[in-house]
Amino acid sequence: MEPIDFWEPTEETVDNFSELQSLLEEVFAKGPKRGRTFAWRGQLNAEWPLTSSLYRRLKLALERNPEERDLYNFEGKILANVHRWGLHMSKTQGRLSVLNQLATMQHYGAPTRMIDVSFNPWIGIWFAVEQRFDNGNVLYVNEDARVFAIDVTDSLINANDQYRSWEDELKRPWRVGHPWSKSCSPDEGGDKEQYLEWCTKPFAWRPAHFDNRIAAQNGGFVLGGAPLSYGPGNRPNQWPRDGGGYWTMDEVRDSTSISVHPNRLKSKGRVSSSAVYSIRIRAAAKEKIRKRLQTLFGYEHRTLYPDFAGFAQFGTAKIKNL
């Protein structure tokens, strides 16, 4: 089983900008018109899973899908090293909250459980069709791209009274895997229901515009615990297959590091609070869509990566190295 097998049954496919625009209207009909909020994630290759950098690297190291306990423990080691390096302090802000530490690490390429998103659908789409280079060569020209629209209505940290304090927490507000177990860290324990919620819904954070890139990209992050098969109240948390039955937990974790549930855009059924909608963009359409976005909105590397790090990555990307 490959991640694309997980996403294909509910995806919608587009071959041009007009079809893409029509599908976005479907999302808007389920979203803002119903008071729902979406986070948008564009990926250059439709075959990729929806996973964080920490999850991917741990999977390689462990040679299996990470569980939440793996993520939590390794994340703790990374944060401890951030403190040893003295990077948890800011000259202007004082001590950084955990979320701000993780966001800064994410910005500079360190592995975190955060997944980059935009709260602007067109920017999310641009990231699916942008040009990436390797030693002067353009990558993923012949691969289809994918855009995820993740429903974060009930779990946007900034907009939810239950989670808003997370922005200022100096310790991680999420809890280690199975915190009621004696084998887990007692200093940051938590109740079972809180842990089960963390592992059965996607959370989103729209940070303050602490740098130009976050502002330009209308950027934010989606995060959460490794998916579990049951949630608060021991209610089942399952992923139905087309034709009957359910995806196994290992198959789900092969495909996503957060607990999101693929839904069909054109379905008339109830919208689930952890729904994710998937749009596949054919490889042949990527260039025309990219050029249309540049014409309409001015989106290009220069405007969406407006810093020296962005220039170093993309300003001279077409020049080959020795």
Side-chain angles (χ1 to χ4, degrees), residues 25-46:
E25 287 299 322
E26 297 277 352
V27 181
F28 295 152
K30 293 179 180 292
K33 292 180 181 178
R34 296 189 185 181
R36 306 202 72 79
T37 302
F38 288 97
W40 298 80
R41 166 79 174 176
Q43 298 193 166
L44 293 164
N45 191 330

Side-chain angles (χ1 to χ4, degrees), residues 294-312:
Q294 183 174 352
T295 300
L296 289 173
F297 307 116
Y299 296 156
E300 54 183 304
H301 289 118
R302 178 180 60 84
T303 57
L304 291 176
Y305 294 91
D307 49 36
F308 277 107
F311 179 80

Side-chain angles (χ1 to χ4, degrees), residues 9 88 183 185 209 311:
H88 61 301
S183 63
S185 173
H209 294 163
F311 179 80

Side-chain angles (χ1 to χ4, degrees), residues 138-157:
V138 183
L139 302 174
Y140 310 114
V141 174
N142 299 314
E143 286 80 13
D144 292 351
R146 188 177 300 282
V147 181
F148 294 105
I150 305 166
D151 191 329
V152 296
T153 306
D154 302 324
S155 54
L156 182 59
I157 291 168

Side-chain angles (χ1 to χ4, degrees), residues 44-218:
L44 293 164
N45 191 330
E47 297 188 4
W48 289 346
L50 177 62
T51 51
S52 67
S53 57
L54 178 61
Y55 189 93
R56 292 192 297 272
R57 290 171 69 166
L58 269 180
K59 182 172 181 174
L60 288 172
L62 299 172
E63 298 183 341
R64 61 170 172 80
N65 288 319
E67 298 180 359
E68 175 56 21
R69 185 178 302 177
D70 301 315
L71 291 170
Y72 187 89
N73 289 341
F74 202 79
E75 179 181 63
K77 293 176 182 178
I78 293 173
L79 287 168
N81 277 329
V82 168
H83 282 229
R84 291 189 187 100
W85 283 50
L87 299 175
H88 61 301
M89 301 293 292
S90 164
K91 291 180 181 178
T92 57
Q93 297 173 279
R95 182 170 175 176
L96 297 174
S97 71
V98 166
L99 282 177
N100 276 295
Q101 290 178 51
L102 292 173
T104 305
M105 285 192 284
Q106 179 83 355
H107 177 74
Y108 287 102
T112 78
R113 71 164 73 235
M114 290 179 161
I115 298 174
D116 293 314
V117 295
S118 174
F119 291 95
N120 180 322
W122 293 113
I123 293 177
I125 290 165
W126 184 86
F127 282 116
V129 300
E130 70 167 312
Q131 283 187 312
R132 287 279 177 148
F133 301 88
D134 180 34
N135 197 21
N137 299 311
V138 183
L139 302 174
Y140 310 114
V141 174
N142 299 314
E143 286 80 13
D144 292 351
R146 188 177 300 282
V147 181
F148 294 105
I150 305 166
D151 191 329
V152 296
T153 306
D154 302 324
S155 54
L156 182 59
I157 291 168
N158 316 67
N160 190 307
D161 290 340
Q162 183 180 350
Y163 312 123
R164 192 176 292 118
S165 64
W166 288 17
E167 287 195 286
D168 303 313
E169 292 281 354
L170 300 181
K171 289 187 175 182
R172 287 173 288 176
W174 48 91
R175 297 300 185 251
V176 69
H178 294 290
W180 56 94
S181 166
K182 292 181 180 178
S183 63
C184 294
S185 173
D187 59 325
E188 292 195 59
D191 63 74
K192 178 178 178 179
E193 295 299 293
Q194 182 187 50
Y195 165 71
L196 294 178
E197 181 185 47
W198 172 242
C199 293
T200 52
K201 67 190 293 185
F203 291 80
W205 180 44
R206 190 199 300 260
H209 294 163
F210 60 82
D211 69 17
N212 292 336
R213 187 181 297 191
I214 288 285
Q217 297 176 1
N218 198 354

